[in-house]
Amino acid sequence: MNKYLVSVLFLCLLGLPLRAQMDCDRGYDLERPSAVVVKKGHWMAGGSIGFSSSTSNNNNFVIINGINSKFYDIDFCPQFCYMLGDNIGVGGRFSYKRNLFDIDSAHLSLDSFSLSVQNYAVLTHRYTLAGFFRYYKPFGTTGRFGAYVDAELSLGGQQQKLEDGHKVSEPVKGTFSNGFTGALGAYTGLLAFFTSHLAMDVRVGLFSLNLSTNNQVHNLVSEGHSNFHSVNFMVDLLAIQFGFHYYL
């Protein structure tokens, strides 16, 4: 039995050099010229926009009763890219996000515990300016479908106003804050051309290094400060973006 195992192992070792000399065909031809998604000297312009809103009038949800609230969210992100070479370009992106969550009244009741909220509102808006380097990779030889990878550096800021419950005759009380954000990231996306110039793409984050600072003033008296740092080596499915772009 031992002699049989030794013989099999010896034959396998003899076959390794021959195996290494064989071509490994995984269905991708590196020598065949690939298609050009976007040619040198062309421009890409487009972006994404989104809006959502909701209202509640005397609504009940599980243990929260008498909900009177309103909410809206606006997201606007234009971008452009200039092709330095075939499938290689540089560009810029501007992003603006604004959302409001306003609760006129809500009452939480759980056995002997109860809590009421009135005149509570949070208004937030964020703005970001980014520059990126992009590389396109086509699927097949037609150039209609492809993928791309972005290396991006972004700087931005944010402001937020949180109003506590108050009476009409009293001055508004709350927390006012503003901050700075900076990020270095890598993103990937897929795109498909509907026509020779119009394409739709989906974009998701792969890596990000984030730095942010925040300063706040509470009730126009006390001040606070915070810092936040994070590094992510993962696909961020919550940050998927869809957009339409026109290639000139």
Side-chain angles (χ1 to χ4, degrees):
M1 185 67 180
N2 292 334
K3 292 182 179 180
Y4 176 75
L5 291 176
V6 171
S7 300
V8 171
L9 292 175
F10 180 73
L11 292 175
C12 291
L13 292 175
L14 288 178
L16 286 178
L18 297 176
R19 185 72 177 179
Q21 295 177 2
M22 296 175 60
D23 294 332
C24 186
D25 185 6
R26 301 187 184 277
Y28 187 80
D29 190 353
L30 296 176
E31 296 181 356
R32 183 178 58 187
S34 59
V36 177
V37 179
V38 190
K39 295 182 179 181
K40 177 181 179 180
H42 285 217
W43 286 86
M44 177 273 286
S48 60
I49 185 171
F51 174 77
S52 62
S53 66
S54 65
T55 58
S56 297
N57 295 310
N58 198 28
N59 192 28
N60 298 324
F61 179 73
V62 191
I63 60 175
I64 305 178
N65 304 315
I67 303 175
N68 294 282
S69 65
K70 59 182 178 181
F71 166 83
Y72 72 79
D73 183 88
I74 300 173
D75 189 351
F76 176 63
C77 181
Q79 66 174 344
F80 71 92
C81 181
Y82 176 74
M83 304 306 296
L84 299 176
D86 291 348
N87 295 332
I88 299 176
V90 293
R93 177 184 299 107
F94 175 76
S95 175
Y96 177 75
K97 298 181 180 181
R98 179 185 180 95
N99 56 69
L100 171 68
F101 182 56
D102 189 351
I103 300 178
D104 291 332
S105 62
H107 181 75
L108 184 149
S109 179
L110 182 62
D111 294 333
S112 60
F113 175 80
S114 63
L115 176 67
S116 295
V117 177
Q118 290 183 335
N119 301 319
Y120 179 90
V122 180
L123 175 63
T124 306
H125 66 96
R126 301 179 177 89
Y127 45 91
T128 304
L129 183 63
F132 61 87
F133 175 84
R134 174 171 293 186
Y135 173 72
Y136 289 92
K137 182 62 183 177
F139 293 153
T141 59
T142 63
R144 181 172 294 274
F145 301 97
Y148 64 86
V149 177
D150 287 347
E152 180 177 292
L153 174 65
S154 63
L155 300 174
Q158 61 182 5
Q159 294 180 342
Q160 185 180 78
K161 178 173 67 175
L162 188 154
E163 295 182 359
D164 301 326
H166 62 279
K167 297 180 179 179
V168 177
S169 59
E170 296 179 351
V172 176
K173 297 180 181 180
T175 302
F176 303 86
S177 62
N178 60 80
F180 167 81
T181 61
L184 177 65
Y187 303 84
T188 187
L190 301 174
L191 76 159
F193 282 86
F194 298 110
T195 68
S196 299
H197 300 281
L198 181 63
M200 176 183 177
D201 66 50
V202 56
R203 181 174 181 262
V204 65
L206 296 177
F207 161 80
S208 64
L209 170 63
N210 303 283
L211 308 173
S212 66
T213 63
N214 188 63
N215 300 296
Q216 63 177 215
V217 178
H218 181 64
N219 290 339
L220 304 179
V221 179
S222 60
E223 297 183 357
H225 179 76
S226 63
N227 294 315
F228 176 78
H229 314 279
S230 68
V231 179
N232 297 317
F233 293 92
M234 59 184 296
V235 176
D236 188 1
L237 297 179
L238 299 178
I240 295 179
Q241 297 178 341
F242 295 87
F244 288 91
H245 299 89
Y246 194 82
Y247 292 80
L248 306 174

